[in-house]
């Protein structure tokens, strides 16, 4: 069984990934949030930093790219390959309207012929450029309905993809409701590629239907409980101190990278929004964290949360 940390735009950047890999070893691969490839062929400073090999040296990092244009995709693959990346993941799952209205992300699943032409041209360009980096995809199962899935995965079967990560929801379903595990099983029966399951793994028993031969990608479950993979593997449960020192390290990283309290606070509050569930009955302290207006107020609130825990 392999465990991957899902890309979560705005959350799992290199500072977060580095701290997680240090405090909670055991993740086989971390995927970057998407880099938007465009015709200017210029990566944003934030994107460059996020894939800089020096910032990703302590774990296996797979960069993810969002684009619908084969030329821009292959250009970005070349840049990433020159940095030493041997695999690039294509985002075919983003359901957010600002992305899908431009025909990117999961919108690409809505036109099977165009999807086929995209891969045909991409692999043609890769061959012409003698590029040997592998391509994997992270995909949903359709735009409107779960029964759109099989023709999409038949297209994938025609190309030498290194891996196919399946988040078995449609675009319309965004991130809510139960993933269609039955559709994932159908895909397992017909896919020629190594598959990875993704969606709503939040506790060890959610792994029951996933075979040892597969990979699993976890996103929000690992934000809620950063030690989830260790627990799935039979290791000890997360203890409060571990979470505090993990968050402290992330905070330090953001303080070095960002200017002023506000952006650091916004990042830390988002993490607490996910991890707050670990502290039932600590609503008051969590509310103080949410309302903190400065780093010092934030730290006081975190200390209050710490003190409230049983020793
Ligand atoms: C805030 C947020 C940001 C996300 N950013 C990305 C992204 O950049 N690329 C991507 O492929 N998926 C992205 N996703 C989707 C997750 O990677 C994952 O597929 C989804 O959350 C389902 O898995 P989970 O239930 O384990 O979280 C994002 C999801 C959320 C909630």
């Amino acid at each position: 069984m392999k465990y991957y940390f899902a890309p979560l735009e705005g959350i799992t950047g290199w500072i977060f990934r580095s701290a997680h890999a240090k405090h909670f070893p055991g993740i086989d691969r971390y995927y970057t949030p998407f880099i938007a490839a465009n015709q200017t062929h210029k990566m944003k400073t934030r994107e460059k930093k996020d894939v800089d090999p020096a910032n990703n040296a302590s774990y296996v990092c797979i960069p993810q790219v969002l684009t619908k244009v084969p030329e821009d995709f292959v250009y970005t693959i070349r840049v990433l390959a020159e940095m030493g990346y041997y695999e690039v993941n294509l985002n075919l799952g983003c359901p957010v309207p600002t992305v899908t209205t431009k025909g990117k992300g999961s919108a690409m699943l809505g036109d099977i012929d165009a999807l086929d032409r995209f891969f045909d041209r991409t692999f043609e360009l890769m061959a012409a450029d003698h590029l040997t980096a592998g391509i994997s995809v992270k995909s949903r199962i359709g735009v409107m309905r779960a029964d759109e899935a099989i023709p999409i995965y038949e297209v994938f079967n025609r190309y030498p993809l290194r891996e196919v990560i399946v988040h078995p929801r449609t675009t319309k379903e965004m991130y809510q409701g139960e993933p269609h595990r039955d559709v994932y099983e159908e895909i397992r029966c017909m896919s020629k590629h190594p598959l990875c399951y993704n969606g709503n793994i939040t506790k060890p028993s959610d792994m029951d239907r996933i075979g040892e031969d597969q990979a699993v990608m976890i996103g929000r479950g690992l934000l809620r409980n950063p030690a989830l993979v260790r627990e799935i593997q039979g290791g000890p449960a997360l203890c409060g101190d571990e979470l505090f020192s993990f968050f402290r390290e992330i905070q330090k990283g953001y303080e070095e990278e960002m200017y002023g309290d506000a952006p650091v606070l916004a990042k830390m509050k988002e993490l607490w929004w996910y991890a707050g569930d670990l502290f039932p009955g600590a609503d008051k302290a969590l509310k103080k964290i949410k309302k903190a207006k400065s780093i010092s107020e934030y730290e006081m609130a975190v200390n209050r949360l710490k003190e409230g825990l049983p020793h």
Side-chain angles (χ1 to χ4, degrees):
M1 176 77 71
K2 295 252 183 272
Y3 296 95
Y4 304 160
F5 207 130
L8 296 147
E9 167 70 6
I11 305 173
T12 61
W14 69 273
I15 291 174
F16 179 97
R17 296 194 299 270
S18 308
H20 188 269
K22 179 174 158 188
H23 290 259
F24 302 99
I27 302 291
D28 294 285
R29 291 159 158 229
Y30 289 82
Y31 287 72
T32 73
F34 66 76
I35 295 168
N38 55 39
Q39 73 268 39
T40 68
H41 291 170
K42 284 204 178 103
M43 270 190 214
K44 296 183 188 124
T45 310
R46 174 180 55 78
E47 293 172 340
K48 266 194 227 154
K49 263 199 171 160
D50 201 40
V51 292
D52 184 342
N55 292 334
N56 292 285
S58 58
Y59 48 88
V60 175
C61 175
I62 309 291
Q64 186 188 65
V65 173
L66 177 84
T67 185
K68 62 173 182 182
V69 181
E71 285 72 11
D72 299 341
F73 188 32
V74 174
Y75 181 90
T76 310
I77 293 174
R78 190 184 313 118
V79 171
L80 292 165
E82 281 164 8
M83 290 181 181
Y85 289 104
Y86 60 85
E87 181 176 326
V88 175
N89 182 261
L90 176 71
N91 182 320
L92 292 176
C94 186
V96 176
T98 47
V99 164
T100 54
T101 49
K102 292 181 193 135
K104 299 181 198 172
S106 64
M108 287 172 74
L109 307 176
D111 183 340
I112 296 290
D113 292 337
L115 185 68
D116 201 4
R117 284 195 302 276
F118 172 88
F119 282 114
D120 198 41
R121 180 74 179 137
T122 294
F123 282 102
E124 186 179 271
L125 292 168
M126 294 279 288
D129 255 17
H130 306 291
L131 279 173
T132 54
I135 296 176
S136 60
V137 300
K138 179 167 179 285
S139 180
R140 290 192 176 235
I141 54 171
V143 175
M144 299 301 286
R145 297 186 324 270
D147 64 6
E148 295 167 31
I150 299 303
I152 294 168
Y153 287 77
E154 277 169 357
V155 171
F156 296 160
N157 271 351
R158 291 203 271 278
Y159 297 95
L161 299 170
R162 190 163 283 184
E163 187 164 41
V164 173
I165 300 164
V166 187
H167 176 199
R169 285 191 174 101
T170 62
T171 306
K172 197 176 158 207
E173 290 165 337
M174 300 291 285
Y175 298 106
Q176 283 94 43
E178 276 305 303
H180 299 269
R181 286 212 177 194
D182 52 334
V183 177
Y184 177 75
E185 289 306 320
E186 275 178 53
I187 294 167
R188 254 186 99 185
C189 293
M190 54 72 71
S191 177
K192 288 187 180 160
H193 299 297
L195 285 193
C196 170
Y197 173 82
N198 168 235
N200 281 25
I201 300 287
T202 59
K203 54 187 184 309
S205 61
D206 292 332
M207 297 290 294
D208 286 352
R209 286 170 60 189
I210 298 179
E212 266 302 314
D213 58 323
Q214 290 171 74
V216 69
M217 172 178 268
I218 309 178
R220 291 164 299 176
L222 274 166
L223 293 183
R224 195 183 156 277
N225 174 6
L228 179 59
V229 167
R230 185 177 77 199
E231 285 180 31
I232 289 172
Q233 290 172 320
L238 179 77
C239 74
D241 280 348
E242 272 184 309
L243 184 77
F244 290 116
S245 55
F246 171 49
F247 276 17
R248 177 81 202 117
E249 177 144 355
I250 298 173
Q251 182 188 336
K252 234 173 60 200
Y254 288 144
E255 282 171 355
E256 281 165 20
E257 276 300 297
M258 296 170 157
Y259 184 74
D261 286 9
V264 179
L265 277 177
K267 291 274 187 198
M268 296 314 298
K269 286 181 188 181
E270 187 162 21
L271 292 182
W272 280 110
W273 187 80
Y274 285 100
D277 284 2
L278 289 169
F279 302 90
D283 295 356
K284 264 191 172 167
L286 290 166
K287 209 166 171 185
K288 290 242 178 244
I289 291 176
K290 195 172 154 197
K291 293 205 158 160
K293 290 198 173 53
S294 65
I295 293 288
S296 58
E297 267 182 46
Y298 165 81
E299 285 178 344
M300 263 162 36
V302 171
N303 283 337
R304 189 176 163 151
L305 183 64
K306 246 189 223 175
E307 280 153 19
L309 291 182
H311 292 286

